[in-house]
Amino acid sequence: MTDRLVDFVGILREHGINAGPSETVDAAEAIIALGLSDPNRIRSGLAATLLRRNGQRSVFDQLFDLYFLGSELPQQIPEIPLDQLRDRLVDALAQGDPAAVTELARQALTTLGGYGGVGSGQSDRPVTTASGAGWSSYLTMKNLRPEDLQDRIVESMGGSGQLDTAVHTIEAQRRLTDFRTQVQTEARLRSAELRGTDYIARRGIESATDQIDFLGAREQDLAEMRRLVSPLARKLATRLAARRKKAVRGQIDMRRTLRRSMATGGVPVDPVLRARKHGRPDLVVLADLSGSVTGFAEFTLQLVQALQDQFSRVRSFGFVDTCDEITGFFTPGEPPEPGLSTRILRESRVARFGSSNYGDALQGFTDNYLDALGPRTSLLILGDARTNRTDPNLDALQQMCDRAKHTYWLNPEPARSWPTGDSAAHRYAEHVTMHECRNVKQLAEVVSRLLPS
Amino acid sequence: MSKFFASVDEVTARLSAAGYLPSTDIATAVFLAGHLGKPLLIEGPAGVGKTELAKAVAAATSSELVRLQCYEGIDEARALYEWNHAKQLLRITAERENWDSTRDHVFTEEFLLERPLLAAIRNPHSTVLLIDELDKADVELEGLLLEVLGDFQVSIPELGTITAVRKPFVILTSNANRDLSDALKRRCLYLHIDYPTAELERAIVRLKVPELDEVVAASAVEMVGALRQLSLRKSPSIAETVDWARTLVTLGARNLTTGVVRSTLGVLLKYQSDHRVAIERLALLDADTVDKDAR
């Protein structure tokens, strides 16, 4: 058990969950205290001792399954015909019966998910790593097409009227997603049996949402990432605003000091300091909306939206090769609609030729909107600084930096590729603080550590 | 140190008796925190029962609950202890003749004002110390907590080091508005409380609002579950579900019609934009026509 635990902690570290030796000791004590009878309790116990932030749990769960459930796989799973499988899946999902759903996930994988000689009645034969055989949740889903079952599930869930149907539809979608996850887990467990736990633990784990690259995000990641971005934007907004806590310093507030001294017979024991007035800073956002950063632009817009909710005075500008104000595309308090970036590209004048040109865009900003910047303004630039080998126009950027109080640049590309290709990032970085901001995790770091008050 | 709970099952049983239904994660983490003698750091969305858990642990172990509510700018004097300057001054003025004895007596117990952290450490009885919304406090407070939570002791320059007579059960909560320091996190067990499963939430509603019809409760929980799947600015929490259940009882709702849901949506959702999303996605728009049809 000790070896297993140490291996497990090791693989957690490889996936970015940094549990130290003292955490491992705690985890061991937890296992002793909890006993081995209930794997769910061990899971909870290890999570409590080894994890330190939200968002690590899904990776943790996947690895936990591999290391602590793998040995308990039931061996004989009957195969059933596809039609029957789908009927039973509809029933189980409509009733929300977790045990039946788990069972069906196993059967579905056995029936539909084997390739290269496993499954389909040949599961007795030993399979070697080299044979290229395995279990695929993708194949299972492709054959099973559970998303076609949604209407039938909703129907079986009963109820009448639009409201019930709407609620049941959302619930059915959630249960289908759960089912999909279970099939994936099962596939991973069986593959681990074939190829060894370590092999699958290193390669077969989906990374935590906060580590998915902005530039390579898939559609299904976007929703989850959006949820993570909006609280960050709120934090970013408070960071950019002048912090209040340092304000009490310096001048003595005579009136309140005298008033308080009445308790001590007129001796001013507790001098009261006058709080410094803090002005509301303005924010100007300048966002790259070009094609090369589409994934990033989605988040940019989320971020811009959230910032507009937080600040009373935000002006947002978008650019591809010219610069135009896009403040009006956002309604305070409402999340940006899907496809907003396309709409902005169509309806505003951010693109003339359609390939990014930072030099012209910055020039456009200094020509038309320079008075948006002032001594209390923070300027936030979002973009990859790939200018298609055009003049980066450092003068314009310098002019903007001079006028603004702070300038920050968030770049969705890894810092090591800044000096490569047509990127002008390293040249801009000489003028402004540029932060690598590839995923939600880094955005969180930038927000919490790098941006000073 | 006396253990607070003997087993996970005992945690579940006693918390349930105190009116708090814990999930496996929660029960296990509470048990381990008591068993290993480590503080328990709880994060999670607002209203899922972080503070309630601390209260329930206090009730279940018949401990005193000492609460430190954090806010921006909270300092040592508010968290730990301060000297009662007014009283000290009075003492000094009262004993003008004998300065030597006065000087020796001014910094004694008599003039010490206990604040929550010191109170929890010095309490000879079983104590649950709740440090609420730690993310609101400044980083400096975390440094202060390291000593208190690591060794359960407090240094007061004038009096010396005060060590805990009896280790309190410490619960820290945070809404993750700010990342807490690694040093602090390392000293704690970590528990993230998320929205409960439908099954657990039904049980919670049944426990808190027993008057509500079981069928209505079940569909109410399902409805809240559906709302949580939508992309809202603030998803409804357990607290909102319970409030909603109470509202439904007050209205005497026999079943969840479009009209009922629509008129009580404000209990669940706190933003105008969220209302709009919910009305659209849950097909609540034509409430009137549907109700007419029903009649």
Side-chain angles (χ1 to χ4, degrees):
Chain A
M1 200 64 195
T2 313
D3 288 349
R4 183 157 283 231
L5 179 65
V6 171
D7 284 353
F8 178 60
V9 174
I11 204 82
L12 284 181
R13 288 189 196 130
E14 281 188 27
H15 285 276
I17 299 173
N18 290 318
S22 69
E23 273 98 339
T24 318
V25 172
D26 282 348
E29 279 187 50
I31 292 179
I32 292 167
L34 295 169
L36 291 170
S37 54
D38 186 347
N40 279 329
R41 279 187 191 165
I42 298 184
R43 183 194 297 266
S44 305
L46 292 186
T49 47
L50 295 174
L51 298 186
R52 287 297 173 264
R53 66 181 79 243
N54 184 28
Q56 298 176 332
R57 186 61 191 255
S58 75
V59 172
F60 171 87
D61 276 344
Q62 293 174 49
L63 290 167
F64 181 88
D65 289 345
L66 278 179
Y67 277 75
F68 293 90
L69 293 186
S71 51
E72 290 160 28
L73 269 185
Q75 289 306 313
Q76 287 304 318
I77 298 154
E79 289 189 27
I80 43 176
L82 181 57
D83 285 346
Q84 209 184 329
L85 192 64
R86 299 185 95 206
D87 290 346
R88 282 171 61 184
L89 187 59
V90 169
D91 286 348
L93 287 179
Q95 272 153 30
D97 178 353
V101 173
T102 310
E103 191 54 36
L104 281 167
R106 291 189 174 145
Q107 281 172 351
L109 192 71
T110 310
T111 317
L112 306 167
Y115 62 88
V118 304
S120 307
Q122 302 171 39
S123 47
D124 301 337
R125 250 185 21 209
V127 184
T128 58
T129 316
S131 74
W135 296 97
S136 156
S137 60
Y138 172 76
L139 273 182
T140 313
M141 288 303 165
K142 203 175 128 200
N143 291 320
L144 190 62
R145 283 176 285 107
E147 55 280 359
D148 296 350
L149 300 177
Q150 188 178 313
D151 289 345
R152 281 173 66 193
I153 297 170
V154 173
E155 209 174 295
S156 309
M157 282 165 92
S160 55
Q162 288 180 326
L163 177 62
D164 281 339
T165 314
V167 172
H168 289 331
T169 309
I170 296 171
E171 180 64 17
Q173 276 164 1
R174 195 189 63 78
R175 290 180 187 174
L176 277 168
T177 315
D178 267 7
F179 173 71
R180 184 180 291 274
T181 316
Q182 292 210 20
V183 173
Q184 282 167 351
T185 307
E186 187 67 21
R188 214 175 287 125
L189 290 181
R190 289 196 206 171
S191 306
E193 290 234 307
L194 285 178
R195 290 165 194 216
T197 307
D198 274 6
Y199 182 89
I200 299 302
R202 293 218 158 74
R203 290 167 182 79
I205 304 295
E206 291 193 19
S207 56
T209 321
D210 64 357
Q211 292 186 21
I212 296 171
D213 264 23
F214 284 135
L215 295 178
R218 295 164 301 170
E219 190 56 44
Q220 65 257 42
D221 303 326
L222 289 177
E224 186 58 33
M225 287 165 91
R226 250 175 234 141
R227 245 192 289 278
L228 293 171
V229 166
S230 65
L232 280 175
R234 198 174 65 224
K235 273 189 243 178
L236 183 63
T238 24
R239 288 283 157 153
L240 291 172
R243 294 275 290 171
R244 208 171 7 171
K245 62 164 184 170
K246 301 263 187 263
V248 179
R249 197 169 60 184
Q251 279 189 308
I252 288 182
D253 185 337
M254 266 329 265
R255 194 180 57 80
R256 287 177 57 207
T257 306
L258 286 177
R259 172 159 285 257
R260 193 174 283 186
S261 75
M262 279 151 83
T264 49
V267 184
V269 175
D270 276 337
V272 182
L273 301 174
R274 179 174 292 154
R276 193 183 289 159
K277 285 213 176 71
H278 50 94
R280 209 173 251 289
D282 311 333
L283 179 67
V284 167
V285 185
L286 186 58
D288 184 352
L289 298 175
S290 68
S292 61
V293 285
T294 314
F296 186 65
E298 279 285 321
F299 289 95
T300 307
L301 295 176
Q302 293 285 333
L303 208 56
V304 172
Q305 170 69 57
L307 290 170
Q308 289 209 2
D309 284 353
Q310 297 297 322
F311 280 79
S312 55
R313 289 174 61 193
V314 182
R315 290 182 71 182
S316 314
F317 299 87
F319 67 89
V320 176
D321 49 16
T322 50
C323 185
D324 194 17
E325 179 153 11
I326 55 170
T327 316
F329 285 92
F330 303 92
T331 328
E334 279 185 44
E337 59 204 276
L340 181 63
S341 52
T342 341
R343 212 187 107 204
I344 292 179
L345 284 180
R346 204 175 51 234
E347 294 178 17
S348 70
R349 291 167 296 136
V350 295
R352 274 179 314 184
F353 308 111
S355 61
S356 31
N357 182 337
Y358 276 65
D360 281 2
L362 292 175
Q363 191 59 50
F365 185 89
T366 44
D367 287 351
N368 300 321
Y369 304 108
L370 198 58
D371 53 350
L373 300 172
R376 284 191 311 176
T377 322
S378 295
L379 172 63
L380 187 65
I381 305 177
L382 310 157
D384 60 1
R386 297 226 166 254
T387 72
N388 293 312
R389 309 202 182 276
T390 50
D391 171 27
N393 199 350
L394 294 168
D395 287 346
L397 182 69
Q398 190 55 51
Q399 227 178 321
M400 290 157 70
C401 292
D402 290 345
R403 274 188 75 103
K405 187 180 177 203
H406 304 287
T407 309
Y408 307 98
W409 191 313
L410 305 187
N411 192 326
E413 282 200 331
R416 63 186 138 72
S417 58
W418 288 356
T420 63
D422 60 346
S423 173
H426 59 298
R427 299 185 60 188
Y428 287 128
E430 287 163 14
H431 292 255
V432 299
T433 351
M434 192 178 278
H435 302 293
E436 173 181 321
C437 183
R438 284 159 61 198
N439 50 37
V440 177
K441 193 171 166 229
Q442 285 186 334
L443 178 61
E445 275 164 19
V446 170
V447 168
S448 62
R449 264 189 319 111
L450 300 176
L451 293 182
S453 54
Chain B
M1 186 197 114
S2 62
K3 300 287 184 223
F4 284 84
F5 297 98
S7 68
V8 180
D9 292 320
E10 197 190 316
V11 176
T12 313
R14 280 163 69 182
L15 285 184
S16 307
Y20 189 98
L21 298 181
S23 64
T24 313
D25 273 357
I26 296 176
T28 311
V30 167
F31 165 70
L32 285 177
H35 186 81
L36 302 175
K38 287 195 141 195
L40 180 61
L41 169 64
I42 310 180
E43 288 187 342
V48 287
K50 301 188 289 292
T51 307
E52 282 307 307
L53 177 59
K55 290 182 188 163
V57 170
T61 54
S62 0
S63 307
E64 233 172 273
L65 179 71
V66 178
R67 179 170 176 169
L68 174 66
Q69 179 69 49
C70 298
Y71 49 85
E72 198 175 338
I74 188 172
D75 59 356
E76 206 172 335
R78 293 281 155 212
L80 211 47
Y81 68 89
E82 56 190 321
W83 292 103
N84 189 341
H85 294 307
K87 210 169 161 193
Q88 281 173 330
L89 262 169
L90 283 175
R91 171 72 176 252
I92 292 164
T93 33
E95 290 188 28
R96 252 167 238 254
E97 312 78 51
N98 191 348
W99 168 242
D100 280 338
S101 79
T102 312
R103 188 184 54 199
D104 292 343
H105 288 112
V106 156
F107 287 106
T108 53
E109 286 289 322
E110 196 189 346
F111 304 105
L112 190 66
L113 293 174
E114 274 186 353
R115 297 297 176 217
L117 290 183
L118 186 61
I121 288 228
R122 292 212 301 183
N123 195 347
H125 307 292
S126 173
T127 316
V128 171
L129 169 63
L130 165 64
I131 301 173
D132 216 0
E133 307 196 345
L134 181 58
D135 52 331
K136 296 240 169 66
D138 305 319
V139 189
E140 291 80 8
L141 188 73
E142 284 180 34
L144 180 70
L145 285 177
L146 290 184
E147 186 189 11
V148 179
L149 302 183
D151 305 325
F152 292 97
Q153 64 177 36
V154 168
S155 310
I156 300 176
E158 296 87 349
L159 289 182
T161 305
I162 296 178
T163 314
V165 204
R166 194 168 170 170
K167 271 193 188 177
F169 190 111
V170 185
I171 291 183
L172 306 107
T173 75
S174 156
N175 286 325
N177 278 328
R178 171 170 77 73
D179 222 8
L180 303 176
S181 72
D182 284 343
L184 182 82
K185 285 189 161 182
R186 224 180 29 240
R187 283 167 176 76
C188 302
L189 294 184
Y190 179 82
L191 171 66
H192 184 263
I193 304 187
D194 220 325
Y195 301 121
T197 58
E199 191 189 2
L200 182 59
E201 192 160 28
R202 274 199 296 275
I204 293 171
V205 171
R206 298 285 295 154
L207 182 77
K208 299 275 179 195
V209 196
E211 312 88 279
L212 188 65
D213 178 74
E214 198 164 341
V215 181
V216 180
S219 36
V221 166
E222 198 194 356
M223 173 95 64
V224 174
L227 285 174
R228 286 186 194 137
Q229 299 292 313
L230 304 179
S231 106
L232 300 176
R233 280 182 74 184
K234 169 77 185 77
S235 292
S237 270
I238 303 180
E240 273 94 36
T241 317
V242 172
D243 282 350
W244 196 39
R246 294 216 174 94
T247 314
L248 293 174
V249 170
T250 317
L251 292 176
R254 296 261 178 74
N255 48 24
L256 289 180
T257 59
T258 314
V260 169
V261 173
R262 212 183 152 176
S263 57
T264 53
L265 210 53
V267 181
L268 292 172
L269 303 177
K270 311 295 181 190
Y271 288 99
Q272 185 63 35
S273 60
D274 288 355
H275 276 243
R276 230 168 293 146
V277 172
I279 285 170
E280 185 187 325
R281 292 292 304 276
L282 297 185
L284 296 170
L285 247 185
D286 14 62
D288 304 330
T289 54
V290 173
D291 281 357
K292 259 176 226 151
D293 291 348
R295 265 178 244 139

